[in-house]
Amino acid sequence: MVTSRNDTSHPLFFILLGIPGLENYQFWIAFPFCVMYIVALVGNVIILHIIRIDHTLHEPMYLFLALLAITDLVLSSSTQPKMLAILWFHDHKIEYHACLIQVFFIHAFSSVESGVLMAMALDRYVAICFPLRHSSILTTSVVIKLGAAVMVRGLLWVSPFCFMISRMPFCPNKVIPQSYCEHMAVLKLVCADTRVNRGYGLFVAFSVVGFDIIVISVSYVMILRAVLRLPPGEARLKAFGTCASHVCVILAFYIPALFTFLTHRFGHHVPRVVHIMFANVYLLVPPMLNPIIYGVRTKQIRDRVTRGVCRKDP
């Protein structure tokens, strides 16, 4: 332990255990994690490249998709390289400030991803319920402002996490029983009253994720009402198909995220290995699935990828 200039003691480093309970299998578990990370990197870079070069895709839906791809790249890259180093090379140490940086990026960009999914739900609502006014309501300026608001909200709401933790004393125990630094996991090593920190964490969770889920739910209730008014046939199927990709992405993100959040606070009887695996899935599977889902379900992106595979762009 060392003492910082502000008289708050903190360790020089923490020890990340990886996946406690599966130590004998961690080397092999790292291979599917590595494959998923590579798929996430390649898939999201391809999505960004296609949207950048194809000017017909410079529409609200695809601009939000580009922001989602950027968020997924940051979110997965903030944890996976260190995780693979732990599982393959037993590099368990993480420097104190690097740990706080990881806390910031994980929570800030999880918030941003939630906000982007909310913005995409609003886009689908306007596109289906007000198709003739879609381009006038969601102009490029509005999309940029909405994206900026989502980004700023994530950065501002999460910054106090790191500031409050950095001002608190830590116990001699430096072991974090998982594969990355997460707010609640780091907070459990603090030797002080953490009720304010925990309260603020709940406030952020409910004010960000809770608000986004409410907006998404209301948007899809309105969408469902509008679609069911359509006569059975191709128009109704097309409307449902338009939303199918987004619904899959929402479920892939929120289900493991909510499980991880609730388990950290209330799931004391959940086996640790289950909790840790879900925590890893939460930060790796959505960034991998998002470009696959949109690549398969979105005709414009699918056609562009197909043309790129069949021949080089002129």
Side-chain angles (χ1 to χ4, degrees), residues 233-249:
E234 186 176 345
R236 181 182 289 187
L237 291 176
K238 184 177 180 181
F240 276 124
T242 301
C243 299
S245 302
H246 189 230
V247 171
C248 292
V249 168

Side-chain angles (χ1 to χ4, degrees), residues 256-288:
L258 290 174
F259 179 87
T260 302
F261 172 79
L262 295 174
T263 301
H264 252 308
R265 287 161 175 79
F266 312 112
H268 304 296
H269 301 294
V270 176
R272 177 180 290 180
V273 65
V274 174
H275 176 206
I276 301 305
M277 291 302 292
F278 260 89
N280 292 331
V281 164
Y282 154 55
L283 294 178
L284 186 56
V285 171
M288 177 195 70

Side-chain angles (χ1 to χ4, degrees), residues 103 106-107 176 178 180-187 264-265:
V103 169
I106 289 170
H107 291 283
I176 298 175
Q178 57 187 61
Y180 59 84
C181 292
E182 190 269 343
H183 177 242
M184 286 299 298
V186 175
L187 203 60
H264 252 308
R265 287 161 175 79

Side-chain angles (χ1 to χ4, degrees), residues 152-265:
V152 170
R153 183 190 67 170
L155 300 181
L156 291 182
W157 255 237
V158 172
S159 295
F161 282 156
C162 300
F163 176 76
M164 288 190 292
I165 290 179
S166 68
R167 308 288 296 180
M168 304 187 77
F170 283 81
C171 301
N173 178 30
K174 298 181 290 187
V175 177
I176 298 175
Q178 57 187 61
S179 48
Y180 59 84
C181 292
E182 190 269 343
H183 177 242
M184 286 299 298
V186 175
L187 203 60
K188 290 176 181 178
L189 304 182
V190 170
C191 278
D193 187 351
T194 60
R195 283 178 295 182
V196 173
N197 303 65
R198 294 171 185 270
Y200 183 72
L202 288 172
F203 164 74
V204 171
F206 286 111
S207 64
V208 173
V209 177
F211 175 78
D212 293 346
I213 289 177
I214 290 172
V215 173
I216 290 171
S217 300
V218 171
S219 297
Y220 272 96
V221 168
M222 301 300 290
I223 288 171
L224 185 61
R225 289 178 59 187
V227 170
L228 292 178
R229 291 196 191 104
L230 297 173
E234 186 176 345
R236 181 182 289 187
L237 291 176
K238 184 177 180 181
F240 276 124
T242 301
C243 299
S245 302
H246 189 230
V247 171
C248 292
V249 168
I250 289 171
L251 295 177
F253 176 75
Y254 281 114
I255 290 176
L258 290 174
F259 179 87
T260 302
F261 172 79
L262 295 174
T263 301
H264 252 308
R265 287 161 175 79

Side-chain angles (χ1 to χ4, degrees), residues 58-100:
H58 292 181
E59 299 175 359
M61 173 183 173
Y62 301 104
L63 294 177
F64 287 134
L65 180 56
L67 182 55
L68 183 67
I70 293 171
T71 304
D72 283 338
L73 287 172
V74 175
L75 201 54
S76 58
S77 297
S78 64
T79 58
Q80 297 312 306
K82 180 61 180 179
M83 183 188 300
L84 294 175
I86 293 170
L87 301 183
W88 273 336
F89 308 113
H90 306 290
D91 182 16
H92 294 279
K93 288 185 179 180
I94 182 169
E95 197 267 330
Y96 171 77
H97 292 100
C99 184
L100 293 188

Side-chain angles (χ1 to χ4, degrees), residues 12-70:
L12 291 173
F13 59 86
F14 294 109
I15 302 295
L16 294 169
L17 292 185
I19 309 176
L22 296 177
E23 288 83 0
N24 295 332
Y25 306 98
Q26 288 186 156
F27 180 83
W28 303 108
I29 292 173
F31 284 97
F33 281 177
C34 183
V35 170
M36 287 190 286
Y37 180 48
I38 291 172
V39 171
L41 288 180
V42 173
N44 285 293
V45 168
I46 289 175
I47 291 288
L48 285 172
H49 176 67
I50 290 173
I51 294 173
R52 183 183 66 85
I53 64 175
D54 192 337
H55 293 283
T56 64
L57 300 182
H58 292 181
E59 299 175 359
M61 173 183 173
Y62 301 104
L63 294 177
F64 287 134
L65 180 56
L67 182 55
L68 183 67
I70 293 171

